[in-house]
């Protein structure tokens, strides 16, 4: 299992100059791999379904909750713009989205549902500090909502990739047209989401019957 690394951006260098990556609120690739994130049985199906439901553009995060059979329970999408990669900010945005579409499972001793995150961004498939911050945010949001932390997926113009697993594909991509959803999917009206960490737009929730 290998990771590529993108050159640091200007914002990343500025963050480092201020004393590190926001107090370490990001996960390095090795930390993510060591966390034992459950593998998706059919990642392309999950990615294609979320892409069709939310048609993400760069800077769009899509958070989805799956049941033990990997069926979609709920999902939400929002645009998160930030001047620096801050896992705390991303955690708050993800947690707010989860609370809008799904009651928490904190009463359960062991989580039974899994949250996965697909983030559409510019650049290529190589890991960046922004990815590390989203990973940190996803893991923390899952803990606070009583969910298992699942896969982190990037969607770029080159296609999609499940970071830490080495699995990916060329379609869908951030530039491809969404596939048509089946008749078994129920769509809900768009909601709006506001977070303290910046503009968050176009929240949509969906659920599988």
């Amino acid at each position: 299992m290998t990771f590529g690394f993108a050159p640091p951006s200007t914002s990343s260098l500025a963050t480092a100059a201020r004393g590190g990556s926001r107090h370490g609120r990001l996960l390095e690739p090795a930390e993510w791999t060591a966390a034992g994130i459950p593998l998706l049985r059919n990642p392309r199906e999950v990615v294609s379904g979320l892409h069709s439901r939310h048609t993400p553009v760069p800077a769009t995060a899509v958070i989805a909750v799956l049941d033990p059979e990997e069926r979609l329970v709920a999902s939400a999408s929002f645009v998160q713009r930030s001047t620096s990669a801050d896992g705390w900010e991303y955690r708050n945005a993800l947690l707010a989205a989860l609370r809008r579409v799904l009651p928490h499972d904190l009463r359960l001793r062991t989580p039974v549902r899994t949250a996965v995150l697909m983030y559409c961004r510019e650049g290529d498939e190589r890991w960046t500090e922004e990815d590390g911050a989203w990973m940190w945010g996803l893991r923390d949001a899952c803990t606070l909502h009583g969910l298992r932390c699942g896969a982190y997926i990037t969607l770029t113009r080159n296609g999609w990739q499940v970071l830490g697993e080495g699995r990916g594909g060329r379609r869908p991509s951030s530039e491809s047209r969404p596939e048509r959803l089946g008749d078994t999917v129920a769509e809900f009206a768009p909601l709006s989401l506001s977070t303290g960490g910046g503009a968050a737009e176009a929240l949509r929730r969906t659920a599988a019957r």
Side-chain angles (χ1 to χ4, degrees), residues 47-193:
V47 172
S48 296
L50 295 179
H51 182 260
S52 296
R53 287 175 175 85
H54 297 276
T55 58
V57 297
T60 302
V62 181
I63 181 75
V65 178
L66 309 177
D67 70 9
E69 301 303 317
E70 215 166 272
R71 293 185 295 252
L72 181 66
V73 175
S75 65
S77 64
F78 57 92
V79 174
Q80 183 75 18
R81 301 192 185 280
S82 178
T83 57
S84 62
D86 184 357
W88 182 273
E89 180 181 326
Y90 296 164
R91 186 282 304 271
N92 291 342
L94 291 170
L95 195 57
L98 286 169
R99 286 170 174 165
R100 286 290 188 95
V101 299
L102 191 74
H104 67 73
D105 283 345
L106 294 172
R107 289 180 295 272
L108 301 178
R109 288 187 176 182
T110 304
V112 296
R113 297 189 287 195
T114 302
V116 301
L117 175 62
M118 183 174 76
Y119 183 57
C120 182
R121 62 166 172 77
E122 302 287 358
D124 57 29
E125 67 277 5
R126 292 177 294 176
W127 182 90
T128 66
E129 282 194 358
E130 184 180 26
D131 294 324
W134 278 114
M135 289 171 168
W136 189 98
L138 175 62
R139 186 184 66 175
D140 217 41
C142 287
T143 298
L144 294 174
H145 209 67
L147 302 169
R148 296 173 73 200
C149 179
Y152 174 70
I153 304 158
T154 57
L155 188 71
T156 67
R157 62 171 60 93
N158 297 329
W160 59 273
Q161 178 173 322
V162 184
L163 291 191
E165 294 185 20
R167 293 191 290 175
R170 304 184 83 174
R171 293 184 63 85
S173 71
S174 61
E175 299 178 341
S176 63
R177 306 185 88 176
E179 297 177 4
R180 181 168 179 171
L181 288 169
D183 295 332
T184 59
V185 176
E187 292 287 348
F188 294 81
L191 301 174
S192 61
L193 171 68

Side-chain angles (χ1 to χ4, degrees), residues 3 5 21 24-35 127-129 131-133 135-136:
F3 283 92
F5 295 87
S21 300
R25 291 195 291 251
L26 61 78
L27 293 177
E28 298 283 348
E31 296 175 292
W32 183 254
T33 301
W127 182 90
T128 66
E129 282 194 358
D131 294 324
M135 289 171 168
W136 189 98

